[in-house]
């Protein structure tokens, strides 16, 4: 039976206004593939989703940090 794991990758980026922002991307590893997943925003009648931040927090709490890709032989030879 295949194992499924939840991973996250965090970092920073600079937006159009020059502000530095944090990001967290989530991935599900199925076998040897990483599949990106996105937390959905369920907009209510008032235009808000009060549980969105809670869902992201739960995903982040249970996700392991995505390990860096190992360098391939070609990358090692070039460096």
């Amino acid at each position: 039976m295949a194992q499924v794991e939840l991973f996250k990758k965090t970092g920073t980026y600079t937006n159009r206004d020059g502000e530095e922002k944090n990001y967290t991307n989530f991935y599900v590893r199925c076998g040897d593939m990483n599949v990106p997943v996105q937390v959905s925003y369920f907009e209510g009648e008032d235009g808000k989703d009060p549980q969105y931040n809670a869902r992201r927090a739960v995903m982040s709490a249970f996700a392991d940090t995505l390990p860096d890709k190992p360098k391939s032989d070609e990358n090692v030879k070039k460096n």
Side-chain angles (χ1 to χ4, degrees):
M1 185 160 101
Q3 185 175 0
V4 177
E5 299 173 87
L6 177 63
F7 290 99
K8 64 182 173 186
K9 182 176 182 179
T10 58
T12 59
Y13 69 97
T14 304
N15 68 8
R16 294 179 191 157
D17 298 329
E19 298 176 61
E20 193 168 285
K21 300 280 189 168
N22 296 323
Y23 72 85
T24 303
N25 294 332
F26 296 102
Y27 301 88
V28 174
R29 181 173 289 164
C30 301
D32 62 349
M33 284 186 65
N34 289 332
V35 180
V37 293
Q38 183 175 354
V39 179
S40 294
Y41 188 87
F42 298 106
E43 188 173 315
E45 292 176 4
D46 59 355
K48 298 178 181 177
D49 181 0
Q51 297 300 316
Y52 177 76
N53 288 332
R55 286 194 302 277
R56 284 191 60 85
V58 168
M59 291 277 288
S60 187
F62 285 92
D64 292 324
T65 301
L66 184 67
D68 292 332
K69 288 184 178 181
K71 291 187 176 184
S72 67
D73 290 338
E74 288 181 19
N75 288 341
V76 171
K77 290 178 185 176
K78 289 179 183 177
N79 294 333

